[in-house]
Structures are given as C-alpha cells and as structure tokens.
Amino acid sequence: MSRRRPFGSVRAKATLGATLVVAVALLAAGVAVLLALRSNLGGQADAEADAAARRVASQIAAGTPYAELELPDAEDHPVQVVDRDGRVLAVSEDLEAISGTGVPGVTPAPSPGTDRDDDDADDPEAGRVGATTWHGEGRATVDGQAATYRFSQVEATDPRDETVLVYAGASLAGRQSTVGTAAVVMLAGLPLLLGVVAGVTWLVTRRALRPVEDIRREMAAITASADLSRRVPEPVSRDEIARLARTTNETLAALESSVERQRRFVADASHELRSPIASLRTQLEVAAAHPDLLDLPGAVEDTVRLQHLAADLLLLARLDAGERPGDARVDLGELLVGEAARRTGDRIGVRAEADPGAVVAGSRQQLARVIGNLLDNAQRHADARITASVRVTADGVLLCVDDDGPGVPEAERDRVFERFVRLDDARSRDDGGAGLGLAIARDVARRHGGDLTAGQAPGGGARFTLRLPPAEAGSS
C-alpha cells in the first residue's frame, strides 16, 4: 500500500498554490505600500525642513544679526548657518553635532547622488532668499541624543550682500515610527489573512471536488461488483465535472453494450458450432460402425460449413479487435464484375454492371467478402432475378444488390444486420446460413468509413446498398 504524500491530493495542492500566490501578492503589495509611505513621509519631512530653513533665511535677508536669530527647537528642526567658506555663523541651541550637510571642515561631504548646487550657483540679490538648492539625509546630536533628519539647504543674502547657507532639518522619527508600525501591522495580519485564504480555498475545493469523489466511489463499486448496468451520479450543474460524469456514463453504457454483445457472440457461436460438429461426429461414428453407410458428401458439406463458420467468427474477432482495413486503391466495379463472373455454379445468374473509376480505399479481400456475402444473401432469397451495380456519385461510391424475393420488412431492416439473426426462422440452418454474412458486411463497411443499409428494390424484393467514400488522390 503506497503512502500518501502530504500534498498528494488536488485539494491540498490547490490550497497550497492559492495560499502561496496570495502570500507573494500580499508581500509585494506590502513592500510597495511601505515604500510609497516612506517616500510620502520623506517628502513631508523635506517640506518641513524647507519651511524651517526659509523662516531663518528670511530673518537673515531682513538684516537680523546672527546672534539674535529666532531659531526653532533643535530637537524638531536643528538649524546651522554657515558662510561660503564653511564658517559656522549660527546654530540651534543644544545642537552638539551635525552630519550630512557637507560643510567643509565640520562635517563629511554629502553622500553620492544627492542633488545640490555649490558656489557656481547664482547668489540671490541683497536682502533676498534664494531657492532651495539641496535636500539630503543626515544625523544631528541634540542634548546628547543622536537622531536622523532630512536637511534642506537654502541660500540667503543679507543687506550687506553677504550670502550664507542655511541648513535646517526635520526629524524622521515620525516617519520611521509610522513605517515600522505599518510593517508590524502587515506582518501580524499576514498569517491570519493567509489562514483565511487557505481555509476558504480548502472548503471551496472540497465542495467543488465532492462530485468527483462520488464518481470515484461509484466507479470503484462498479469495478468491485462487475455490474456494468450501474451509473455514476451526474451533478445538476453544467460544469466540467458534470460533463465528466456524463462522459463516464456514456463510456459505461458503451462498455456494457460491448460486453453484452461479446457474451451473446460467445453463446451464439458455441450454439452454431455445436450443430455441425455434432452432425459431423455422428456421421463419423456411424461410418466407424458401418463403413458401408458412410455419407461422405454430407460429411464434406458439414466440414465446409464448419470451416466457413470458423472463418466468419475469426473475421468478426479481428474486426472487433480494431483491425485496420488498409488504404490500397480498389476498383469496386471491377471487383463486383469479377465476383459475379466467378460464381458460375449459383442457382441464379447475377447481372452486374459498373461505372468506370469507382475507386475506393481499403482492403481488397474484405471488400470482396462484402460483395460475396451480399450475393450469397440474394441467392438464398431471390426467385428468379439478381442485379448488382456500382455507381459513382457526388457523395462517393454506391454498390446496390437487388433481388426479386420477399424483401425485408421495414421494421426488421436494421435488426437484419445483427449477428446470428435469421429472419427466415422456418428455413433450415443449411439453407438460411448462420446469420453472420450481413453482420460481417456492415462491420467491414463501417471499418472502411461507409455503411450498409437495407431497403426495397424498385421492382420489389430487397435492395442492399453499400456506401463508401471515394479514394483520395494520394492513396496507394
């Protein structure tokens, strides 16, 4: 007994797949949200730093001495004012150290990739505040506490026409706290959401696959009981599972029909073989006891009949096994004329005529057997006339065999092609045959892509019509 794998079922695979897809999607969406939130909060910090720097720059442009500048609280907005040479002119109270502004001799240069303008930029006019020339990230130590800030650089020119650089920062603690809280909330909610997705997928998949399990269970019961009359339950829905159930029932019906047909075939074959074998055995036993009473012609006749019956049974077995008829080019008209000319010992002569070019693809031997069986059937039932013709039509090739006998009743025109069926039950087996000729003829016709039907001849009697598709130009 094989061990079940942890994720061997369709339901488990579907649940795992859906959970993984949702997990990847949520992680990607969470990262995108956090990055967007971080960028948005960074932009707000730049705006706050820019506003603080401009407030100080406006005081400088108005001529306020550096010692009297009103600087914001260093913990929220640390400010540093330097001249072009990097000399510090003013700093916020309690500001002990600052990095990231790139002031020479005081702090390291700004990190690569930052956007700033240096001495080459045009200085603002006296008493004016210039544009914001740089935003960057750095650190500042206020009253012994170091923190990360976003800095803004603004140029200002005092009334004495001296240009200075004002650096003001905005704390990033709020941004870091917000981003961190959002990340914690997302990570905390992710397992719960994935659990909900997995649970819902498991339940929905189980409900969707329940009909499949019912079908499997019923098929197992059918296999165990060998009762092919049972059918699997069909869901009322019109989805793929309902179509699977219908197809399964159609397959079971075809299998039941095939098995039943084989059973009848075996029973009928054994019954048909019993008579000639018993007759032959009786004649041989009589001959052994009384050699002078040996009916040699009767023994030969029974042997020939037994040989023909065995050949018919073998051909039916090959046809049932799916034997391909081949794709040789066969002139059906020529085959009919040759078969009619060969039958010199028949009770009634056959009038045969054929259109030229009636070429079909298939087995010459099997098609000759069809013609022979149709002519044998006509010989058994005709009174005085048998005609056979081959015509080429737009739909293919037609072979018609007519006789002037009693014909086939309309209600029996399909049943007459069943195996071991003889409509003339009053006749002896010797006269009526085994009931396999027409069955073989129809099976061969259908194997060749055509059909064989029974009808009424124009002058009365029976007409058997063989329809075959024409041979393709490329067939051998």
Side-chain angles (χ1 to χ4, degrees):
M1 183 176 179
S2 60
R3 293 192 307 172
R4 295 185 61 181
R5 292 179 296 174
F7 296 99
S9 67
V10 174
R11 182 168 53 182
K13 291 177 181 178
T15 301
L16 178 61
T19 305
L20 289 177
V21 169
V22 172
V24 172
L26 289 178
L27 287 175
V31 170
V33 169
L34 291 178
L35 291 177
L37 180 62
R38 180 185 178 89
S39 175
N40 183 266
L41 293 177
Q44 294 181 7
D46 286 343
E48 292 180 13
D50 189 51
R54 286 189 170 278
R55 285 196 296 269
V56 176
S58 298
Q59 297 179 52
I60 295 173
T64 303
Y66 297 114
E68 300 177 5
L69 291 175
E70 294 183 4
L71 302 180
D73 182 42
E75 186 174 353
D76 294 330
H77 300 290
V79 175
Q80 180 186 49
V81 181
V82 299
D83 61 12
R84 287 293 188 184
D85 296 328
R87 291 192 301 271
V88 178
L89 303 178
V91 295
S92 297
E93 186 178 358
D94 297 330
L95 178 61
E96 299 172 0
I98 187 170
S99 64
T101 58
V103 177
V106 179
T107 56
S111 58
T114 54
D115 238 354
R116 66 179 298 164
D117 292 333
D118 292 326
D119 295 339
D120 296 336
D122 294 334
D123 293 336
E125 298 178 0
R128 295 294 182 90
V129 177
T132 302
T133 56
W134 171 75
H135 287 107
E137 191 169 312
R139 293 182 63 82
T141 303
V142 180
D143 198 16
Q145 299 292 326
T148 305
Y149 293 85
R150 286 291 295 180
F151 287 101
S152 175
Q153 173 188 286
V154 175
E155 295 181 346
T157 303
D158 60 17
R160 298 187 302 275
D161 202 21
E162 292 183 3
T163 301
V164 298
L165 302 176
V166 180
Y167 293 94
S171 176
L172 292 178
R175 183 185 74 170
Q176 294 171 347
S177 176
T178 302
V179 173
T181 302
V184 170
V185 171
M186 289 180 181
L187 291 177
L190 182 61
L192 178 61
L193 185 57
L194 292 180
V196 172
V197 171
V200 171
T201 304
W202 180 270
L203 293 176
V204 171
T205 307
R206 182 176 66 177
R207 182 178 180 85
L209 294 179
R210 186 176 300 162
V212 177
E213 176 60 21
D214 294 339
I215 294 173
R216 185 207 64 79
R217 189 181 300 110
E218 184 63 24
M219 286 296 294
I222 292 173
T223 302
S225 65
D227 182 6
L228 296 178
S229 64
R230 298 173 62 172
R231 298 293 180 264
V232 300
E234 294 187 15
V236 296
S237 59
R238 299 182 179 180
D239 55 9
E240 293 83 354
I241 297 177
R243 292 197 292 272
L244 171 64
R246 286 192 291 272
T247 303
T248 302
N249 284 334
E250 291 171 1
T251 303
L252 288 173
L255 184 60
E256 180 186 15
S257 175
S258 176
V259 170
E260 183 62 27
R261 184 179 182 184
Q262 290 296 326
R263 289 174 179 170
R264 290 199 307 267
F265 177 77
V266 172
D268 293 337
S270 62
H271 179 72
E272 293 294 334
L273 288 171
R274 186 181 299 115
S275 295
I277 292 176
S279 175
L280 184 60
R281 178 180 176 178
T282 300
Q283 295 183 56
L284 293 176
E285 289 176 347
V286 170
H290 307 282
D292 56 324
L293 297 180
L294 174 63
D295 183 10
L296 186 59
V300 172
E301 183 179 351
D302 284 342
T303 303
V304 171
R305 180 166 173 257
L306 184 61
Q307 180 183 7
H308 289 167
L309 181 57
D312 288 344
L313 293 176
L314 289 175
L315 177 57
L316 285 174
R318 292 200 306 270
L319 293 175
D320 288 341
E323 181 180 72
R324 296 180 60 84
D327 56 356
R329 293 174 63 87
V330 180
D331 191 322
L332 198 63
E334 178 185 333
L335 196 63
L336 171 65
V337 173
E339 182 68 18
R342 185 183 62 83
R343 304 170 69 95
T344 55
D346 285 352
R347 178 174 62 90
I348 301 174
V350 178
R351 295 175 52 189
E353 55 183 16
D355 292 344
V359 180
V360 297
S363 169
R364 184 180 186 88
Q365 181 180 2
Q366 291 185 9
L367 293 175
R369 171 67 73 89
V370 173
I371 295 175
N373 288 358
L374 293 178
L375 294 179
D376 287 342
N377 181 74
Q379 288 289 336
R380 282 193 294 269
H381 297 90
D383 291 334
R385 185 181 72 256
I386 299 175
T387 61
S389 62
V390 173
R391 298 285 180 261
V392 179
T393 67
D395 298 330
V397 177
L398 296 183
L399 183 149
C400 297
V401 177
D402 299 344
D403 63 64
D404 58 351
V408 181
E410 186 174 356
E412 304 289 345
R413 288 176 183 173
D414 192 61
R415 181 171 172 268
V416 73
F417 293 105
E418 295 180 6
R419 299 176 183 183
F420 300 105
V421 169
R422 287 183 293 269
L423 300 183
D424 48 353
D425 291 333
R427 294 189 174 205
S428 68
R429 293 184 184 274
D430 295 335
D431 294 335
L436 291 177
L438 294 179
I440 291 175
R442 171 174 274 190
D443 282 354
V444 171
R446 290 180 174 176
R447 291 288 180 182
H448 284 72
D451 201 3
L452 178 63
T453 57
Q456 184 177 3
R463 161 173 283 189
F464 288 87
T465 303
L466 172 66
R467 294 177 175 82
L468 294 175
E472 298 180 358
S475 60
S476 59

